[in-house]
Amino acid sequence: MAVTGTETFEALTLGLGGEIFAIDANSVHEILDIVPQTEVPGAPPLVSHLINVRGKVVPLADLRIRFGMECTPPTIDTRIVVVEIELDEEPTVVGLLADKVHEVTSIAGASIEDTPDIGMRWNPELIKGIGKRGDDFIVIPDIVRIFTTH
Amino acid sequence: MSSADPGQVFREEAAELLADLETALLQLEQNPDDREPLDTAFRALHTIKGSGSMFGFEAAASFTHHLESAFDRMRKGELTATPAMIGIALAAKDHIRILIDDPANADTAAGERILARLAEQSGSATMPAPHRQEPDDADDRATWRVRFKLAPDALERGTNPLLLLDELRGLGDAEIVAVTDDVPPLEELEPTRCHIAWDVLLTTTSPRSTIEDVFIFVIDETELTIEPVLASSPTPAPAPTMVCDLPDPSVPTPPDPVQPVTQPPQSKADAGPEKGKAQPVANSIRVPAERLDDLMDQVGELVIAHARLKQLISDSVDLQIKSVTEEIERLSNGLRDITMGIRMVPVETLFGRFRRLVRDLSQELGKDVLLTMSGEETELDKTMIERLNDPLVHIIRNSLDHGLEPAADRLAAGKPRQGRIHLSARHAGTRVLMTIRDDGRGLDRDRIRAKAEEQDLIPPGAKLSDAELFQLIFHPGFSTARTLTSVSGRGIGMDVVKRTVDGLRGTIEVSSTAGGGTEITLGLPLTLAIIDGLLVRVGQGRYVIPLFAVEECVELPPDVERRHAGRNFLNIRGALVPFLRLRDSFNVRHPPDPYQKIVIISSGDKRVGLVVDQVLGDHQTVIKSMSKLHADVANFSGATILGDGSVALILDIAQIVAAGQIQEQRREAS
């Protein structure tokens, strides 16, 4: 997804550990309520569970682990955002846990700023940029990098 | 014609024809007088040539033509199928394959060398090229009246009448007249239908069969008559005026003394233009493998959906719903069996390829080898057959290169001069056992042991059973060959064989007697998609153990249970079986059930017990592969979806048995 220049991109905003994250709406397949999860012994903590999405076995990722956020138990608002990403040139379907799903919105490319070097709690490599909407800041994570780096 | 790339259709067809050709050539080599393989080879060549030029594979078509001519002469008894000839034909076949699959990289010089050898063997320095055949002996000339009318939809099916006419012209002097009587008035004319018939007076040295061969692809749909006009006439073609006096071919022809090749037009659903053999239309269709995979996926989901439905209504008292569920169960089981059946092909398609391999290798190594087969009709999943090719090639190569002794050694050992390799396949329950047996010198136990000790795979002087010792050959980098020949040392090793077979959830067993030969048996599941599994619970997680690996379930004896930190092995009827506590392997925090169960699984001749909390019962398992994100996770070969819609992991038996062995070795070492 292009997040620089004058392009705007359609983003799904979701709440995660008190922050608002924006992910490319085009990569989103569907949004599910919480479903039974199966733990995979020996799997990386980020993708320690599997879920059934319409007959497909899909890894469930908790992005909070990569951002060092506290992993609170699911609430009535918790959702699973099913996205498709390219891993090693292979389309891979992954479920992302979200504390709350907000809305689909347009973010103007011009309003996106590079990740500041200081004042960040998170590894800047995992973030593509910070979008601004009103007085709010929206974190645009680099989903592929989150899954391909350790 | 279908919208698929016609070139691809031809390539697929040619691949099958070339396989047929090779089988026929090898049969011919065994029985040079047998008519049937000769005819099969000729038909295959003829079809490749014809379809090849039709689909624009000119180089392949013109190369094939030379070979076809030679085989035509064999059919007429002018040439004999000598071993040298077969050798050339096999080389030519390989070259045709390159010309079709990868024309850009074809080695023209190699092709010319093959043709030169062919010309030398068939005793004619120059082979006539297609379409340029000039009659050189006027005494053999005959004039034929050829009338043909294509099926009305022939053009839509890709038949080009101009090519047919060109081919007729290529045979000699041809006078062609179009019969336009059936062309309808303009307002009724459908431009895609063929309304024209043709009358051709053809003066040629070619026999009647050659003229018939021109129509070989359209024979079923074409009204065709071929009559001699002036037998053995030395005069050139008759004057055109005569041609115009021909009777109208649309008028039904009276019974013909020279057996006209008249066929009623066949239904549209039958033959396409690429259909080559003039034999009854085969009752089969070609389907891309992905569509079968998709179908299998859908059926898998249906099986899962049914399992969910069954679970949902298990408490229901509504008899109608229960009966509908049973009906769906019957249907989905039937659909599953049919779909799996579609994917099954006889192993003959796999074994057949090895005849050539053994022939070429035995020549290369100067060994006399007889390859025999049994159970070729045994069916196996198509994907599996494809993936088994390389491992089997490697095993057969090993048998020929390392296993079978040179003739002198065999005679000295009191064995027949000719070495034997036997391939067999048979069903055993839900598995297929595939065996490769040779009567060579057998595996060298001392060398394997020495090599394994050298590589620190086993402690010096370790006591190993034969089966354990032989399993060492599957270790990466393990080769007991003293010298690398051109045959061994290329391609893959036995470790790759093992990995491939493991990947197919198969097993490998090796047995060998010194001086008596080696037998390698692959045990393979019938299908890759669905297995029978044993569902167990460990903590709160549920896992599937492939049923084929399960030997028995026993209760964990309380005295063993108490020694939790100590020895982890059981005495199962006198045999020592190590066991793993899955709750330890999986880091389960949930407290264990009071009575732990042990599922004894086997892989090869290794047995390992798995301690679980509960055995839940058997479960038909649709295997789903795990994503790349879980590629590094050991212990599991895939996942499946249970009746309640949740996911369960499938245990990787080979991996777990290996882990059990390591544990046992640690215990022995300590």
Side-chain angles (χ1 to χ4, degrees):
Chain A
M1 67 183 172
V3 293
T4 50
T6 52
E7 284 176 55
T8 57
F9 85 105
E10 295 291 309
L12 179 74
T13 55
L14 44 94
L16 207 57
E19 296 287 344
I20 296 181
F21 280 59
I23 56 175
D24 184 0
N26 290 319
S27 69
V28 175
H29 277 201
E30 59 187 312
I31 297 165
L32 303 174
D33 286 341
I34 211 82
V35 295
Q37 305 168 20
T38 299
E39 191 179 346
V40 184
L46 174 68
V47 283
S48 59
H49 288 81
L50 294 174
I51 52 168
N52 165 17
V53 179
R54 301 186 194 288
K56 288 198 167 57
V57 173
V58 170
L60 178 66
D62 190 343
L63 297 185
R64 294 178 297 192
I65 287 171
R66 290 291 266 148
F67 286 99
M69 295 167 165
E70 194 189 342
C71 292
T72 48
T75 66
I76 194 162
D77 286 330
T78 304
R79 297 286 181 276
I80 294 168
V81 180
V82 181
V83 297
E84 185 176 304
I85 53 172
E86 289 255 325
L87 289 182
D88 294 344
E89 297 178 355
E90 210 175 276
T92 308
V93 177
V94 183
L96 304 176
L97 267 178
D99 292 339
K100 189 180 172 78
V101 171
H102 294 286
E103 60 183 341
V104 175
T105 180
S106 298
I107 298 182
S111 74
I112 297 170
E113 290 174 31
D114 284 345
T115 319
D117 291 337
I118 48 170
M120 290 276 299
R121 286 190 283 147
W122 315 307
N123 182 352
E125 278 192 357
L126 304 179
I127 295 173
K128 281 191 169 174
I130 307 284
K132 215 160 63 177
R133 201 183 44 175
D135 293 336
D136 271 348
F137 289 101
I138 300 174
V139 182
I140 303 166
D142 188 334
I143 300 285
V144 172
R145 191 164 266 179
I146 285 170
F147 285 109
T148 49
T149 58
H150 292 285
Chain B
M1 292 196 68
S2 74
S3 58
D5 169 19
Q8 186 53 37
V9 172
F10 170 67
R11 271 189 288 272
E12 282 171 21
E13 186 199 9
E16 280 177 21
L17 287 167
L18 288 172
D20 291 349
L21 173 62
E22 186 172 284
T23 311
L25 288 173
L26 294 167
Q27 282 170 357
L28 201 56
E29 189 171 39
Q30 301 291 322
N31 306 302
D33 299 326
D34 196 348
R35 181 81 194 173
E36 202 194 312
L38 184 58
D39 284 343
T40 307
F42 177 77
R43 264 203 309 272
L45 287 166
H46 188 88
T47 310
I48 291 167
K49 183 186 86 169
S51 311
S53 74
M54 199 182 288
F55 288 110
F57 292 81
E58 291 301 339
S62 104
F63 183 86
T64 309
H65 168 76
H66 296 285
L67 199 58
E68 183 204 352
S69 305
F71 273 77
D72 197 26
R73 291 178 60 196
M74 280 186 218
R75 286 207 306 174
K76 291 172 188 153
E78 296 169 21
L79 275 177
T80 43
T82 58
M85 195 71 189
I86 299 289
I88 296 168
L90 285 169
K93 177 236 138 193
D94 292 342
H95 191 67
I96 294 169
R97 162 144 236 155
I98 300 170
L99 285 173
I100 290 170
D101 287 349
D102 192 8
N105 286 329
D107 182 351
T108 323
E112 276 163 13
R113 276 198 300 279
I114 294 169
L115 289 185
R117 277 166 58 208
L118 180 67
E120 199 181 296
Q121 277 294 323
S122 59
S124 73
T126 51
M127 303 292 291
H131 308 319
R132 276 166 202 81
Q133 208 167 359
E134 285 299 324
D136 48 3
D137 188 354
D139 286 338
D140 285 347
R141 287 166 79 98
T143 301
W144 303 85
R145 176 179 293 158
V146 182
R147 302 171 195 161
F148 70 100
K149 185 170 195 303
L150 297 172
D153 61 350
L155 301 179
E156 291 164 39
R157 286 195 243 147
T159 307
N160 185 345
L162 292 180
L163 292 178
L164 296 173
L165 294 170
D166 278 349
E167 217 170 317
L168 286 175
R169 274 198 206 101
L171 296 175
D173 296 326
E175 298 291 344
I176 302 170
V177 172
V179 181
T180 53
D181 298 13
D182 283 356
V183 178
L186 196 56
E187 59 270 20
E188 288 168 30
L189 185 77
E190 276 185 63
T192 55
R193 316 274 300 168
C194 181
H195 306 285
I196 306 173
W198 284 272
D199 264 351
V200 183
L201 267 185
L202 178 66
T203 305
T204 176
T205 54
S206 304
R208 180 196 180 91
S209 63
T210 313
I211 304 174
E212 284 168 9
D213 284 350
V214 168
F215 297 94
I216 195 161
F217 303 109
V218 291
I219 194 107
D220 293 343
E221 305 88 33
T222 303
E223 293 174 38
L224 173 70
T225 59
I226 302 172
E227 301 165 355
V229 175
L230 294 161
S232 297
S233 162
T235 53
T241 47
M242 252 185 85
V243 178
C244 299
D245 292 339
L246 287 168
D248 186 348
S250 59
V251 174
T253 11
D256 196 315
V258 256
Q259 297 162 341
V261 188
T262 310
Q263 295 267 340
Q266 291 207 336
S267 77
K268 206 172 174 176
D270 287 2
E274 70 275 9
K275 190 175 71 70
K277 299 168 192 174
Q279 51 184 229
V281 181
N283 255 335
S284 63
I285 54 167
R286 202 189 301 272
V287 181
E290 306 88 73
R291 282 197 205 164
L292 289 185
D293 292 346
D294 290 349
L295 181 61
M296 196 70 226
D297 280 354
Q298 291 285 309
V299 171
E301 282 186 39
L302 182 64
V303 170
I304 292 164
H306 168 259
R308 296 189 62 176
L309 181 63
K310 199 169 159 183
Q311 193 158 52
L312 281 177
I313 63 120
S314 60
D315 302 330
S316 164
V317 285
D318 188 327
L319 286 178
Q320 269 184 312
I321 291 185
K322 274 194 190 293
S323 117
V324 171
T325 309
E326 274 166 25
E327 183 73 4
I328 290 176
E329 173 163 25
R330 191 179 63 76
L331 291 171
S332 83
N333 284 350
L335 198 53
R336 184 199 66 212
D337 292 346
I338 290 169
T339 310
M340 274 164 46
I342 293 175
R343 300 173 53 95
M344 304 294 259
V345 286
V347 295
E348 163 64 21
T349 54
L350 179 66
F351 282 6
R353 302 175 202 168
F354 301 134
R355 290 201 192 96
R356 174 77 184 275
L357 175 79
V358 169
R359 175 194 183 274
D360 288 358
L361 275 184
S362 52
Q363 283 191 353
E364 198 174 317
L365 296 167
K367 291 177 180 174
D368 187 5
V369 180
L370 178 69
L371 176 70
T372 53
M373 301 178 186
S374 61
E376 298 107 307
E377 71 288 344
T378 311
E379 290 190 328
L380 205 54
D381 189 281
K382 188 171 162 53
T383 319
M384 189 115 57
I385 290 225
E386 276 154 20
R387 295 204 210 154
L388 281 172
N389 185 57
D390 289 353
L392 286 178
V393 164
H394 188 76
I395 293 171
I396 292 171
R397 270 191 185 145
N398 272 349
S399 287
L400 257 155
D401 197 15
H402 309 320
L404 295 176
E405 316 89 330
D409 295 8
R410 290 183 66 87
L411 291 172
K415 296 201 235 183
R417 203 187 125 78
Q418 191 180 43
R420 281 167 178 276
I421 294 183
H422 184 75
L423 292 180
S424 72
R426 66 189 170 88
H427 285 287
T430 58
R431 315 269 291 163
V432 167
L433 298 181
M434 211 177 265
T435 306
I436 304 95
R437 190 174 67 229
D438 67 59
D439 67 345
R441 53 170 83 92
L443 291 172
D444 187 335
R445 288 171 174 71
D446 296 338
R447 277 196 63 78
I448 294 174
R449 178 180 286 276
K451 184 96 183 183
E453 287 179 6
E454 185 189 310
Q455 294 191 355
D456 284 334
L457 297 176
I458 52 168
K463 276 189 186 148
L464 294 177
S465 69
D466 272 1
E468 284 170 317
L469 193 64
F470 295 151
Q471 286 291 324
L472 291 169
I473 63 173
F474 297 113
H475 207 271
F478 200 93
S479 172
T480 51
R482 267 163 242 253
T483 50
L484 290 179
T485 63
S486 65
V487 175
S488 68
R490 66 179 170 200
I492 59 175
M494 286 303 265
D495 56 322
V496 182
V497 170
K498 171 120 176 87
R499 214 178 316 138
T500 311
V501 174
D502 283 350
L504 296 168
R505 294 192 314 280
T507 55
I508 306 185
E509 279 174 51
V510 184
S511 69
S512 180
T513 40
T518 306
E519 182 175 292
I520 295 184
T521 302
L522 309 184
L524 300 157
L526 279 179
T527 167
L528 291 170
I530 297 180
I531 58 165
D532 285 322
L534 186 71
L535 192 63
V536 299
R537 184 173 58 78
V538 181
Q540 287 173 313
R542 281 173 296 174
Y543 302 89
V544 175
I545 303 174
L547 205 56
F548 72 82
V550 175
E551 292 208 333
E552 57 187 312
C553 300
V554 295
E555 212 160 273
L556 182 66
D559 60 319
V560 181
E561 168 78 316
R562 278 193 296 277
R563 279 194 300 266
H564 190 106
R567 301 171 310 178
N568 276 341
F569 53 91
L570 288 167
N571 183 347
I572 300 282
R573 288 184 292 279
L576 204 63
V577 178
F579 67 83
L580 296 169
R581 291 170 198 271
L582 288 183
R583 51 184 314 103
D584 294 349
S585 316
F586 299 165
N587 285 321
V588 175
R589 289 167 297 271
H590 197 262
D593 280 22
Y595 296 101
Q596 299 268 288
K597 310 289 183 300
I598 300 187
V599 180
I600 312 285
I601 56 169
S602 67
S603 167
D605 67 334
K606 284 277 167 233
R607 287 199 292 171
V608 169
L610 302 177
V611 181
V612 302
D613 282 319
Q614 193 186 356
V615 175
L616 296 169
D618 63 338
H619 177 74
Q620 187 147 69
T621 306
V622 179
I623 299 166
K624 306 272 177 181
S625 55
M626 301 219 274
S627 80
K628 268 192 147 46
L629 294 168
H630 289 119
D632 297 335
V633 180
N635 291 337
F636 307 110
S637 58
T640 188
I641 294 170
L642 301 177
D644 63 0
S646 66
V647 177
L649 293 158
I650 302 168
L651 297 189
D652 183 337
I653 292 308
Q655 184 79 38
I656 284 176
V657 170
Q661 269 175 282
I662 291 167
Q663 200 184 60
E664 192 182 18
Q665 277 161 10
R666 277 207 204 106
R667 178 183 58 79
E668 276 174 3
S670 61

